[in-house]
Amino acid sequence: MNVAQMLAHCNVSYEMVYTDKHPKPKGPMKLMLKLFVKPTVVNEKPYKKIAVPHLLS
């Protein structure tokens, strides 16, 4: 990832808060995110550690 890509990546969260460029999900998509994604992301259990040996060498 180069500097321009990093800045674009970091800028997305700013855009989500202060502009309407990325609208919030509505209807069925919102329901699916609440039922399936939120319990995985927001809980007390830590994320699983994934070993990627070919990237570490």
Side-chain angles (χ1 to χ4, degrees):
M1 181 180 285
N2 62 28
V3 175
Q5 291 172 330
M6 181 203 57
L7 291 173
H9 173 78
C10 294
N11 197 29
V12 171
S13 59
Y14 176 82
E15 289 174 347
M16 291 178 76
V17 172
Y18 294 109
T19 67
D20 291 330
K21 187 173 181 179
H22 305 282
K24 292 183 179 180
K26 296 180 183 172
M29 181 58 75
K30 184 176 181 179
L31 179 66
M32 289 192 325
L33 288 172
K34 273 189 172 180
L35 291 176
F36 300 112
V37 176
K38 186 176 178 181
T40 304
V41 174
V42 183
N43 62 20
E44 298 286 330
K45 192 169 129 182
Y47 293 125
K48 292 180 182 177
K49 295 185 180 181
I50 301 173
V52 187
H54 66 279
L55 292 177
L56 297 176
S57 57

